Amino acid sequence: MAGMEAVKRSEPGAIDAEMAARAMRRIKDYLMRHPDEEVIPVTGEVGSEDALVLPREAVSMLAFILAQAAEGRGVSVVPSHAELTTQQAAAMLNVSRPFVINLLESGEIPYRLVGTHRRIRYDDLKTYHQRSESKSRSAADELNRLGQELGI
């Protein structure tokens, strides 16, 4: 699955914020009361249907999504294997598309060509972003250290 088909997005305000907040609180309370459960049974409040059983990590992710929705924010879920367009990658990095293309052309981020279109794996984009953030923190720490040495 490539591009937009691999990205599930909920626009800001698409989920009722009050309902999301209630559901998130109930999920978080349940997870706190049952810290050792690896699977979470979800039962209906009415009826005798078999419980839906969900992995704890999926329930935690749902709680995060609901927390964002409760704040009126949109949410995107991107599988780690997803391939993104240069425009999608630029939006995720909050940079311009030409900047992303320069990163690709310089070898900073791996990519593949589909015809004439560049595709970037989400995992590769995430790795680049983490590396970039780490460099930024190191540079800020160094500036701070130099500033202290110089008494600035």
Side-chain angles (χ1 to χ4, degrees):
M1 208 183 290
M4 287 302 267
E5 308 89 50
V7 178
K8 178 66 177 157
R9 178 157 177 76
S10 170
E11 295 298 326
I15 299 172
D16 179 85
E18 190 176 313
M19 186 182 298
R22 274 195 313 272
M24 183 231 5
R25 282 191 301 273
R26 288 187 68 189
I27 289 171
K28 284 187 174 187
D29 287 347
Y30 184 92
L31 293 174
M32 285 179 20
R33 286 193 320 271
H34 303 89
D36 297 327
E37 284 187 27
E38 288 302 312
V39 293
I40 311 299
V42 180
T43 58
E45 294 181 346
V46 179
S48 60
E49 285 188 33
D50 291 339
L52 172 65
V53 179
L54 300 172
R56 183 180 193 88
E57 186 61 30
V59 174
S60 292
M61 187 179 295
L62 177 59
F64 174 79
I65 291 168
L66 290 169
Q68 300 308 304
E71 296 293 324
R73 297 185 190 114
V75 178
S76 296
V77 176
V78 182
S80 57
H81 72 278
E83 289 187 318
L84 307 169
T85 66
T86 53
Q87 188 60 53
Q88 289 170 321
M92 288 184 154
L93 294 175
N94 199 27
V95 297
S96 70
R97 184 176 163 277
F99 183 80
V100 168
I101 291 170
N102 285 337
L103 291 172
L104 301 178
E105 302 286 324
S106 69
E108 287 288 321
I109 303 173
Y111 70 98
R112 73 182 185 104
L113 285 174
V114 177
T116 59
H117 301 283
R118 297 170 186 88
R119 294 293 180 259
I120 305 152
R121 287 184 59 242
Y122 175 74
D123 278 346
D124 292 333
L125 187 69
K126 187 171 74 171
T127 298
Y128 165 78
H129 187 257
Q130 289 168 339
R131 197 171 58 240
S132 175
E133 290 286 310
S134 178
K135 284 181 188 175
S136 294
R137 278 191 299 275
S138 294
D141 291 346
E142 180 64 14
L143 282 174
N144 189 28
R145 187 188 64 75
L146 289 171
Q148 288 177 353
E149 282 181 14
L150 297 172
I152 302 176

